């Protein structure tokens, strides 16, 4: 079915590595878009507390099961599917490596800037003559009400969050070299991940308010004597998802006119 046929829900979630079991789906729909198929079915999940439950449309960025590498994610279809399903604000959940020495594995970061090192990805909706050419403003890629509401929710949930930080988006799927991380630190990056772009840019093009919750899964390459161990990285993500769920359970969409 077309994503536009789904019932309209204003909150969207894009789950990254480790987020497959973050919420249990109430309903699940296989949809398509003019940009192709999204990474997974759209599932309706319940985000709020039992007394103030809130629905969201959720997509698993890497598919379910997890199989789509970062450079093969159809970011345009994912964003368009959420938009067609009525979504106005997106919370993206991203596993990242920590570059800032203050960020430890398991920490949560609400990033406020990004640098895009990816290449060759279908990164814009302004891609042919049938779509208007737009040069969207992107000076503050994560600014907006979702970012602000997440800050409020963290406080109300009592979840410790680092507010602010620069996301460096790399191509993957390999991890970075120590020299690449050194360069990224020099550039001003605080965390490194493989999927932050073009997702954030496409959300801006689509007119959707977008914020990213980053979970520090490991110290980035070269910052520790030991190489990054994937089992360790996944164990950290498993342990941290409860904190993310608790944080989101306090997320409240502002009432109209507020
Ligand atoms: N680099 C890139 N992406 C990641 C990392 C990393 O160290 N950890 C989790 N996602």
């Amino acid at each position: 079915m077309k994503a536009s046929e789904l019932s309209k829900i204003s909150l969207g979630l894009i789950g990254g590595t480790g987020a497959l079991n973050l919420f249990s789906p109430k309903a699940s729909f296989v949809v398509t878009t003019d940009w192709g198929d999204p990474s997974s079915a759209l599932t309706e999940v319940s985000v709020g507390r039992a007394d103030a439950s809130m629905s969201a449309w959720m997509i698993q960025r890497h598919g379910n099961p997890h199989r789509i590498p970062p450079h093969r994610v159809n970011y345009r279809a994912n964003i368009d599917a959420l938009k067609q399903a009525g979504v106005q604000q997106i919370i993206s959940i991203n596993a990242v490596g920590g570059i800032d020495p203050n960020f430890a594995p398991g920490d949560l970061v609400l990033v406020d800037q990004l640098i895009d090192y990816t290449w060759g990805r279908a990164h814009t909706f302004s891609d042919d003559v049938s779509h208007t050419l737009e040069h969207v403003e992107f000076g503050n890629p994560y600014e907006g009400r979702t970012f602000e509401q997440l800050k409020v929710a963290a406080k109300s949930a009592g979840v410790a969050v680092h507010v602010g930080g620069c996301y460096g988006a790399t191509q993957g799927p390999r991890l970075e070299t120590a020299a690449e991380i050194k360069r990224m630190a020099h550039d001003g990056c605080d965390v490194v991940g493989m999927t932050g772009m073009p997702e954030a840019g496409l959300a801006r093009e689509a007119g959707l308010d977008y914020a990213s919750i980053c979970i520090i899964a490991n110290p980035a390459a070269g910052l520790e004597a030991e190489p990054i161990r994937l089992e360790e990285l996944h164990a950290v993500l498993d342990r941290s998802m409860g904190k993310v769920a608790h944080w989101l359970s306090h997320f409240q969409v502002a009432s109209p006119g507020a």
Side-chain angles (χ1 to χ4, degrees):
M1 69 193 284
K2 293 296 259 182
S4 52
E5 294 165 42
L6 293 176
S7 52
K8 305 293 179 240
I9 299 176
S10 69
L11 179 63
L13 300 175
I14 303 179
T17 303
L20 283 182
N21 301 317
L22 184 57
F23 297 110
S24 15
K26 293 195 283 187
S28 182
F29 300 90
V30 174
V31 297
T32 191
T33 75
D34 291 348
W35 301 95
D37 298 338
S39 300
S40 73
L42 256 69
T43 56
E44 187 182 349
V45 298
S46 195
V47 175
R49 287 161 289 172
D51 58 336
S53 168
M54 186 173 40
S55 278
W57 284 125
M58 183 163 192
I59 285 186
Q60 297 295 342
R61 186 187 288 117
H62 296 285
N64 188 1
H66 182 118
R67 63 178 198 291
I68 308 172
H71 62 292
R72 293 260 179 231
V73 170
N74 189 341
Y75 295 95
R76 293 193 292 199
N78 290 351
I79 295 293
D80 192 49
L82 291 173
K83 181 173 175 151
Q84 299 304 328
V87 163
Q88 291 166 16
Q89 51 186 137
I90 294 178
I91 300 173
S92 156
I93 300 158
N94 299 86
V96 296
I99 299 178
D100 183 324
N102 295 313
F103 296 170
D107 283 7
L108 303 175
V109 187
L110 194 54
V111 285
D112 64 356
Q113 268 302 336
L114 71 79
I115 299 179
D116 187 5
Y117 300 91
T118 67
W119 49 271
R121 301 182 180 189
H123 66 287
T124 178
F125 292 114
S126 292
D127 211 16
D128 60 43
V129 284
S130 62
H131 291 86
T132 347
L133 170 57
E134 277 190 83
H135 299 285
V136 289
E137 203 284 322
F138 203 43
N140 290 298
Y142 303 100
E143 77 185 342
R145 63 194 161 115
T146 311
F147 184 94
E148 296 305 322
Q149 289 158 356
L150 280 169
K151 273 202 297 191
V152 172
K155 204 161 180 198
S156 121
V159 174
V161 171
H162 302 278
V163 176
C166 179
Y167 182 111
T170 55
Q171 181 72 352
R174 66 164 176 83
L175 291 162
E176 298 72 35
T177 66
E180 285 168 338
I181 293 299
K182 217 182 243 180
R183 180 179 83 156
M184 291 176 74
H186 187 256
D187 286 352
C189 297
D190 299 300
V191 303
V192 53
M194 301 173 189
T195 53
M197 282 296 281
E199 197 173 273
L202 289 164
R204 181 60 62 90
E205 284 189 359
L208 306 181
D209 202 74
Y210 178 96
S212 163
I213 291 178
C214 290
I215 308 164
I216 307 289
N218 55 282
L223 298 184
E224 294 219 317
E226 295 294 309
I228 296 168
R229 292 190 25 242
L230 287 185
E231 320 79 72
E232 184 71 18
L233 180 157
H234 285 289
V236 171
L237 293 175
D238 282 348
R239 286 199 298 273
S240 309
M241 278 307 158
K243 274 197 292 182
V244 174
H246 181 58
W247 181 2
L248 290 179
S249 76
H250 284 251
F251 185 84
Q252 281 183 319
V253 176
S255 49

